[in-house]
Amino acid sequence: MKTTILIELLTVASLASFEIYAAIPAGFAFGLSPWLVFLSSLVGGLAGVFAVAFLGDRIRRFFGKNKKENTKPKTGLVYRIWEKYGIIGLGFLGTVTVGAPASLAVGLGFKAPLQKLVLWCCLGVLTRCVVFTLVGYYGFQLF
């Protein structure tokens, strides 16, 4: 019995490291308490943030050693959003909407300060976990 709960918690945390939208419904489908769903999705989401930050920074440095500076004009929707909202928009709003791994990858591409980006992504993961756990819990209360 305890092994089953551990596997369910690890499944929710693993899903959350990639996509919280899938992790929280899975936790409720397993029949876990809202607190366990929240905590396991939060731990998994934060683990995903730190894994991408750790690996992404090393990959950027490895490939950036011999790369010439790009002189192309900086245009496009993502760049305009970056210019308008900065690191908070990318880290927090990007994490809440498209997820932390994508936000971190874009931020690393724009050479954003990694510590600030990780901070805002972590706050985005926390907010996303709170909101979607509450929505899931109260949504199931309707039925």
Side-chain angles (χ1 to χ4, degrees), residues 21-106:
Y21 290 133
I24 292 174
F28 284 115
F30 289 142
L32 298 173
S33 76
W35 287 106
L36 287 177
V37 171
F38 168 72
L39 290 174
S40 60
S41 63
L42 180 65
V43 167
L46 293 176
V49 167
F50 288 107
V52 171
F54 176 78
L55 295 174
D57 191 46
R58 274 136 187 87
I59 290 170
R60 178 177 68 176
R61 279 189 277 159
F62 177 76
F63 285 115
K65 283 181 183 176
N66 298 323
K67 186 177 178 184
K68 294 178 185 175
E69 186 63 33
N70 191 358
T71 58
K72 285 183 12 182
K74 296 181 177 178
T75 60
L77 178 64
V78 175
Y79 185 75
R80 286 194 312 259
I81 291 171
W82 168 252
E83 283 294 309
K84 185 172 184 176
Y85 299 109
I87 200 147
I88 295 171
L90 184 62
F92 182 76
L93 297 174
T95 299
V96 170
T97 56
V98 296
S103 296
L104 279 164
V106 171

